[in-house]
CSV table of all heavy atoms in Angstrom, one decimal:
chain,number,residue,atom,x,y,z
A,3,THR,N,17.0,-3.1,36.3
A,3,THR,CA,16.9,-1.8,35.8
A,3,THR,C,16.1,-0.9,36.8
A,3,THR,O,15.6,-1.4,37.8
A,3,THR,CB,16.1,-1.8,34.5
A,3,THR,OG1,14.9,-2.4,34.7
A,3,THR,CG2,16.9,-2.6,33.4
A,4,LYS,N,16.1,0.4,36.5
A,4,LYS,CA,15.4,1.4,37.3
A,4,LYS,C,14.0,1.5,36.8
A,4,LYS,O,13.8,1.9,35.7
A,4,LYS,CB,16.2,2.7,37.2
A,4,LYS,CG,15.9,3.7,38.3
A,4,LYS,CD,16.9,4.8,38.2
A,4,LYS,CE,16.7,5.9,39.1
A,4,LYS,NZ,17.7,7.0,38.9
A,6,ILE,N,10.2,3.0,36.5
A,6,ILE,CA,9.5,4.2,36.7
A,6,ILE,C,8.6,4.1,38.0
A,6,ILE,O,7.9,3.2,38.1
A,6,ILE,CB,8.5,4.4,35.5
A,6,ILE,CG1,9.3,4.8,34.2
A,6,ILE,CG2,7.4,5.5,35.8
A,6,ILE,CD1,9.6,6.3,34.1
A,9,CYS,N,4.5,9.4,40.5
A,9,CYS,CA,4.2,10.2,41.7
A,9,CYS,C,2.7,10.2,42.0
A,9,CYS,O,1.9,9.8,41.2
A,9,CYS,CB,4.7,11.7,41.5
A,9,CYS,SG,3.9,12.6,40.3
A,15,TYR,N,-1.2,5.9,31.6
A,15,TYR,CA,-2.0,5.9,30.4
A,15,TYR,C,-2.1,4.5,29.8
A,15,TYR,O,-1.1,4.0,29.2
A,15,TYR,CB,-1.4,6.8,29.4
A,15,TYR,CG,-2.2,7.2,28.2
A,15,TYR,CD1,-2.7,8.5,28.0
A,15,TYR,CD2,-2.4,6.3,27.1
A,15,TYR,CE1,-3.4,8.9,26.8
A,15,TYR,CE2,-3.1,6.7,26.0
A,15,TYR,CZ,-3.6,7.9,25.8
A,15,TYR,OH,-4.3,8.3,24.7
A,21,ARG,N,-8.8,5.5,22.8
A,21,ARG,CA,-7.9,6.6,22.5
A,21,ARG,C,-7.7,6.8,21.0
A,21,ARG,O,-7.2,7.9,20.6
A,21,ARG,CB,-6.5,6.3,23.2
A,21,ARG,CG,-6.6,6.2,24.7
A,21,ARG,CD,-7.1,7.5,25.3
A,21,ARG,NE,-7.0,7.5,26.7
A,21,ARG,CZ,-7.4,8.6,27.5
A,21,ARG,NH1,-7.9,9.7,26.9
A,21,ARG,NH2,-7.3,8.5,28.8
A,28,ARG,N,-10.7,15.5,15.8
A,28,ARG,CA,-10.1,16.8,15.9
A,28,ARG,C,-9.6,17.2,14.5
A,28,ARG,O,-9.7,18.4,14.1
A,28,ARG,CB,-8.9,16.8,16.9
A,28,ARG,CG,-9.4,16.8,18.3
A,28,ARG,CD,-8.2,17.0,19.3
A,28,ARG,NE,-7.2,16.0,19.1
A,28,ARG,CZ,-6.7,15.3,20.1
A,28,ARG,NH1,-7.1,15.4,21.3
A,28,ARG,NH2,-5.7,14.4,19.8
A,178,GLU,N,-4.9,-2.5,29.8
A,178,GLU,CA,-4.7,-2.6,28.3
A,178,GLU,C,-4.5,-4.0,27.8
A,178,GLU,O,-4.6,-4.2,26.6
A,178,GLU,CB,-3.4,-1.7,28.0
A,178,GLU,CG,-2.1,-2.2,28.4
A,178,GLU,CD,-0.9,-1.3,28.1
A,178,GLU,OE1,-1.2,-0.1,28.0
A,178,GLU,OE2,0.2,-1.8,28.0
A,179,ASN,N,-4.2,-4.9,28.7
A,179,ASN,CA,-4.1,-6.3,28.2
A,179,ASN,C,-5.4,-7.0,28.2
A,179,ASN,O,-5.5,-8.3,28.0
A,179,ASN,CB,-3.1,-7.1,29.1
A,179,ASN,CG,-1.7,-6.5,28.9
A,179,ASN,OD1,-1.2,-6.4,27.8
A,179,ASN,ND2,-1.1,-6.1,30.0
A,180,SER,N,-6.5,-6.3,28.3
A,180,SER,CA,-7.8,-6.9,28.2
A,180,SER,C,-8.1,-7.3,26.7
A,180,SER,O,-7.8,-6.6,25.8
A,180,SER,CB,-8.9,-5.9,28.6
A,180,SER,OG,-8.7,-5.5,29.9
A,181,VAL,N,-8.7,-8.5,26.5
A,181,VAL,CA,-9.0,-8.9,25.2
A,181,VAL,C,-10.1,-8.0,24.6
A,181,VAL,O,-11.1,-7.6,25.2
A,181,VAL,CB,-9.6,-10.4,25.2
A,181,VAL,CG1,-10.0,-10.8,23.8
A,181,VAL,CG2,-8.6,-11.3,25.8
A,202,ARG,N,-4.1,-3.2,23.9
A,202,ARG,CA,-2.7,-2.8,23.7
A,202,ARG,C,-2.2,-3.2,22.3
A,202,ARG,O,-1.6,-2.4,21.5
A,202,ARG,CB,-1.8,-3.4,24.7
A,202,ARG,CG,-0.3,-3.3,24.5
A,202,ARG,CD,0.5,-4.0,25.6
A,202,ARG,NE,1.9,-4.3,25.2
A,202,ARG,CZ,2.9,-3.6,25.7
A,202,ARG,NH1,2.7,-2.7,26.6
A,202,ARG,NH2,4.2,-3.9,25.3
A,217,ALA,N,4.6,6.9,5.9
A,217,ALA,CA,5.9,7.5,6.0
A,217,ALA,C,6.8,7.2,4.8
A,217,ALA,O,7.8,7.9,4.6
A,217,ALA,CB,6.6,7.2,7.3
A,219,ASP,N,8.0,7.2,1.2
A,219,ASP,CA,7.7,7.9,-0.1
A,219,ASP,C,7.3,7.0,-1.2
A,219,ASP,O,6.5,7.3,-2.1
A,219,ASP,CB,8.9,8.8,-0.5
A,219,ASP,CG,9.1,9.9,0.6
A,219,ASP,OD1,8.4,10.9,0.5
A,219,ASP,OD2,9.9,9.7,1.5
A,225,ARG,N,-2.9,8.5,3.8
A,225,ARG,CA,-2.7,9.7,4.5
A,225,ARG,C,-4.0,10.5,4.7
A,225,ARG,O,-5.0,10.0,4.3
A,225,ARG,CB,-1.7,10.6,3.7
A,225,ARG,CG,-0.3,10.0,3.7
A,225,ARG,CD,0.7,10.7,2.9
A,225,ARG,NE,2.0,10.0,2.9
A,225,ARG,CZ,3.0,10.2,2.1
A,225,ARG,NH1,2.9,11.0,1.1
A,225,ARG,NH2,4.1,9.5,2.2
A,226,SER,N,-3.9,11.6,5.4
A,226,SER,CA,-5.2,12.1,6.0
A,226,SER,C,-6.2,12.5,4.9
A,226,SER,O,-7.3,12.5,5.1
A,226,SER,CB,-4.9,13.3,6.9
A,226,SER,OG,-4.2,14.3,6.1
A,227,GLN,N,-5.7,12.8,3.7
A,227,GLN,CA,-6.6,13.3,2.6
A,227,GLN,C,-7.0,12.2,1.7
A,227,GLN,O,-7.6,12.4,0.7
A,227,GLN,CB,-6.1,14.5,1.9
A,227,GLN,CG,-6.2,15.7,2.9
A,227,GLN,CD,-5.4,16.9,2.5
A,227,GLN,OE1,-5.2,17.2,1.3
A,227,GLN,NE2,-4.9,17.6,3.4
A,369,LEU,N,9.2,-2.4,14.2
A,369,LEU,CA,9.0,-3.2,15.4
A,369,LEU,C,8.9,-4.7,15.1
A,369,LEU,O,8.9,-5.5,16.1
A,369,LEU,CB,7.8,-2.7,16.2
A,369,LEU,CG,7.8,-1.3,16.7
A,369,LEU,CD1,6.8,-1.2,17.9
A,369,LEU,CD2,9.1,-0.8,17.2
A,370,VAL,N,8.7,-5.1,13.9
A,370,VAL,CA,8.6,-6.6,13.6
A,370,VAL,C,10.0,-7.2,13.5
A,370,VAL,O,10.8,-6.7,12.7
A,370,VAL,CB,7.8,-6.8,12.3
A,370,VAL,CG1,7.9,-8.3,11.9
A,370,VAL,CG2,6.4,-6.4,12.4
A,371,ASP,N,10.2,-8.2,14.3
A,371,ASP,CA,11.5,-8.9,14.3
A,371,ASP,C,11.1,-10.2,13.6
A,371,ASP,O,10.2,-10.9,13.9
A,371,ASP,CB,11.9,-9.2,15.7
A,371,ASP,CG,13.4,-9.6,15.8
A,371,ASP,OD1,14.0,-9.6,14.8
A,371,ASP,OD2,13.8,-9.9,17.0
A,401,GLN,N,-1.6,-14.4,21.4
A,401,GLN,CA,-0.8,-15.1,22.4
A,401,GLN,C,-1.2,-16.5,22.6
A,401,GLN,O,-1.0,-17.1,23.7
A,401,GLN,CB,-0.9,-14.3,23.7
A,401,GLN,CG,-0.3,-12.9,23.6
A,401,GLN,CD,1.2,-12.9,23.7
A,401,GLN,OE1,1.9,-13.2,24.7
A,401,GLN,NE2,1.8,-12.5,22.5
B,3,THR,N,-12.6,-7.3,33.1
B,3,THR,CA,-12.4,-7.6,31.7
B,3,THR,C,-11.7,-8.9,31.6
B,3,THR,O,-11.2,-9.5,32.6
B,3,THR,CB,-11.6,-6.5,31.0
B,3,THR,OG1,-10.3,-6.4,31.7
B,3,THR,CG2,-12.3,-5.2,31.0
B,4,LYS,N,-11.6,-9.4,30.4
B,4,LYS,CA,-10.9,-10.7,30.1
B,4,LYS,C,-9.5,-10.4,29.8
B,4,LYS,O,-9.2,-9.7,28.8
B,4,LYS,CB,-11.6,-11.3,28.9
B,4,LYS,CG,-11.4,-12.8,28.7
B,4,LYS,CD,-12.4,-13.3,27.7
B,4,LYS,CE,-12.1,-14.7,27.3
B,4,LYS,NZ,-13.1,-15.2,26.3
B,6,ILE,N,-5.6,-11.1,28.6
B,6,ILE,CA,-4.9,-12.0,27.7
B,6,ILE,C,-4.1,-13.0,28.6
B,6,ILE,O,-3.4,-12.6,29.5
B,6,ILE,CB,-3.8,-11.1,26.9
B,6,ILE,CG1,-4.5,-10.3,25.9
B,6,ILE,CG2,-2.7,-12.0,26.4
B,6,ILE,CD1,-4.7,-11.0,24.6
B,9,CYS,N,0.0,-18.3,26.0
B,9,CYS,CA,0.2,-19.7,26.0
B,9,CYS,C,1.7,-20.0,26.3
B,9,CYS,O,2.6,-19.1,26.2
B,9,CYS,CB,-0.2,-20.4,24.7
B,9,CYS,SG,0.8,-19.9,23.3
B,15,TYR,N,6.1,-9.1,24.0
B,15,TYR,CA,7.0,-8.1,23.4
B,15,TYR,C,7.0,-6.8,24.3
B,15,TYR,O,6.1,-6.1,24.3
B,15,TYR,CB,6.5,-7.8,22.0
B,15,TYR,CG,7.3,-7.1,21.1
B,15,TYR,CD1,7.9,-7.7,20.0
B,15,TYR,CD2,7.6,-5.7,21.2
B,15,TYR,CE1,8.6,-7.0,19.1
B,15,TYR,CE2,8.3,-5.0,20.3
B,15,TYR,CZ,8.9,-5.6,19.2
B,15,TYR,OH,9.6,-4.9,18.3
B,21,ARG,N,14.2,-1.9,19.8
B,21,ARG,CA,13.3,-2.3,18.7
B,21,ARG,C,13.2,-1.2,17.6
B,21,ARG,O,12.8,-1.4,16.5
B,21,ARG,CB,11.9,-2.6,19.2
B,21,ARG,CG,11.9,-3.8,20.2
B,21,ARG,CD,12.4,-5.1,19.5
B,21,ARG,NE,12.2,-6.2,20.3
B,21,ARG,CZ,12.6,-7.5,19.9
B,21,ARG,NH1,13.2,-7.6,18.7
B,21,ARG,NH2,12.4,-8.5,20.6
B,28,ARG,N,16.8,-2.0,7.7
B,28,ARG,CA,16.2,-2.8,6.6
B,28,ARG,C,15.7,-1.9,5.5
B,28,ARG,O,15.9,-2.2,4.3
B,28,ARG,CB,15.0,-3.5,7.2
B,28,ARG,CG,15.3,-4.8,8.0
B,28,ARG,CD,14.1,-5.6,8.3
B,28,ARG,NE,13.1,-4.9,9.0
B,28,ARG,CZ,12.5,-5.2,10.1
B,28,ARG,NH1,12.9,-6.3,10.7
B,28,ARG,NH2,11.5,-4.5,10.6
B,178,GLU,N,9.6,-2.9,30.1
B,178,GLU,CA,9.5,-1.7,29.3
B,178,GLU,C,9.3,-0.4,30.1
B,178,GLU,O,9.4,0.7,29.6
B,178,GLU,CB,8.3,-1.8,28.3
B,178,GLU,CG,6.9,-1.9,28.9
B,178,GLU,CD,5.8,-2.2,27.9
B,178,GLU,OE1,6.1,-2.8,26.9
B,178,GLU,OE2,4.7,-1.7,28.2
B,179,ASN,N,9.0,-0.6,31.4
B,179,ASN,CA,8.8,0.6,32.3
B,179,ASN,C,10.1,1.0,32.9
B,179,ASN,O,10.2,1.8,33.9
B,179,ASN,CB,7.8,0.3,33.3
B,179,ASN,CG,6.4,0.2,32.7
B,179,ASN,OD1,5.9,1.1,31.9
B,179,ASN,ND2,5.7,-0.9,33.0
B,180,SER,N,11.3,0.5,32.4
B,180,SER,CA,12.6,0.9,32.9
B,180,SER,C,12.9,2.3,32.5
B,180,SER,O,12.6,2.7,31.3
B,180,SER,CB,13.6,-0.1,32.4
B,180,SER,OG,13.4,-1.4,32.8
B,181,VAL,N,13.5,3.1,33.3
B,181,VAL,CA,13.9,4.4,33.0
B,181,VAL,C,15.0,4.4,31.9
B,181,VAL,O,15.9,3.6,32.0
B,181,VAL,CB,14.4,5.2,34.2
B,181,VAL,CG1,14.8,6.6,33.8
B,181,VAL,CG2,13.3,5.3,35.3
B,202,ARG,N,9.1,2.3,27.2
B,202,ARG,CA,7.8,2.3,26.7
B,202,ARG,C,7.4,3.7,26.2
B,202,ARG,O,6.8,3.9,25.1
B,202,ARG,CB,6.8,1.8,27.8
B,202,ARG,CG,5.3,2.0,27.4
B,202,ARG,CD,4.5,1.6,28.7
B,202,ARG,NE,3.1,2.1,28.5
B,202,ARG,CZ,2.0,1.3,28.3
B,202,ARG,NH1,2.2,0.0,28.1
B,202,ARG,NH2,0.8,1.8,28.2
B,217,ALA,N,1.8,11.5,8.2
B,217,ALA,CA,0.5,11.1,7.7
B,217,ALA,C,-0.4,12.3,7.2
B,217,ALA,O,-1.3,12.0,6.4
B,217,ALA,CB,-0.3,10.3,8.7
B,219,ASP,N,-1.3,15.3,5.0
B,219,ASP,CA,-0.9,15.9,3.8
B,219,ASP,C,-0.5,17.3,3.9
B,219,ASP,O,0.3,17.8,3.2
B,219,ASP,CB,-2.0,15.7,2.7
B,219,ASP,CG,-2.3,14.2,2.4
B,219,ASP,OD1,-1.6,13.7,1.6
B,219,ASP,OD2,-3.1,13.6,3.1
B,225,ARG,N,9.5,12.1,6.1
B,225,ARG,CA,9.2,10.8,5.5
B,225,ARG,C,10.5,10.2,5.1
B,225,ARG,O,11.6,10.8,5.3
B,225,ARG,CB,8.3,11.0,4.3
B,225,ARG,CG,6.9,11.4,4.7
B,225,ARG,CD,5.9,11.7,3.6
B,225,ARG,NE,4.6,12.1,4.1
B,225,ARG,CZ,3.7,12.7,3.4
B,225,ARG,NH1,3.9,13.0,2.1
B,225,ARG,NH2,2.5,13.0,4.0
B,226,SER,N,10.4,8.9,4.6
B,226,SER,CA,11.7,8.2,4.5
B,226,SER,C,12.7,8.8,3.6
B,226,SER,O,13.9,8.6,3.8
B,226,SER,CB,11.4,6.7,4.0
B,226,SER,OG,10.7,6.8,2.8
B,227,GLN,N,12.3,9.6,2.6
B,227,GLN,CA,13.3,10.2,1.7
B,227,GLN,C,13.7,11.6,2.1
B,227,GLN,O,14.4,12.3,1.4
B,227,GLN,CB,12.9,10.0,0.3
B,227,GLN,CG,13.0,8.6,-0.2
B,227,GLN,CD,12.2,8.2,-1.4
B,227,GLN,OE1,12.1,9.1,-2.3
B,227,GLN,NE2,11.7,7.0,-1.5
B,369,LEU,N,-3.5,10.2,20.3
B,369,LEU,CA,-3.4,9.7,21.6
B,369,LEU,C,-3.3,10.8,22.7
B,369,LEU,O,-3.4,10.4,23.9
B,369,LEU,CB,-2.2,8.7,21.8
B,369,LEU,CG,-2.2,7.4,20.9
B,369,LEU,CD1,-1.3,6.4,21.6
B,369,LEU,CD2,-3.6,6.8,20.7
B,370,VAL,N,-3.1,12.0,22.4
B,370,VAL,CA,-3.0,13.1,23.4
B,370,VAL,C,-4.4,13.5,23.7
B,370,VAL,O,-5.2,13.9,22.9
B,370,VAL,CB,-2.2,14.3,22.9
B,370,VAL,CG1,-2.3,15.4,23.8
B,370,VAL,CG2,-0.7,13.9,22.7
B,401,GLN,N,6.5,10.9,34.8
B,401,GLN,CA,5.6,10.5,35.9
B,401,GLN,C,6.0,11.2,37.2
B,401,GLN,O,5.7,10.6,38.3
B,401,GLN,CB,5.6,9.0,36.0
B,401,GLN,CG,5.1,8.2,34.8
B,401,GLN,CD,3.6,8.3,34.7
B,401,GLN,OE1,2.9,7.6,35.5
B,401,GLN,NE2,3.0,9.0,33.8
Side-chain angles (χ1 to χ4, degrees):
Chain A
T3 56
K4 197 167 174 179
I6 289 275
C9 66
Y15 191 112
R21 298 299 189 180
R28 283 190 306 233
E178 68 185 26
N179 293 308
S180 300
V181 179
R202 170 186 163 107
D219 296 275
R225 290 174 181 163
S226 59
Q227 285 163 36
L369 300 199
V370 171
D371 199 0
Q401 296 284 292
Chain B
T3 56
K4 198 167 173 180
I6 288 273
C9 66
Y15 191 111
R21 298 299 189 181
R28 282 191 305 232
E178 68 185 26
N179 294 308
S180 299
V181 179
R202 169 186 165 106
D219 295 276
R225 290 175 181 163
S226 59
Q227 286 162 36
L369 300 200
V370 171
Q401 297 283 293

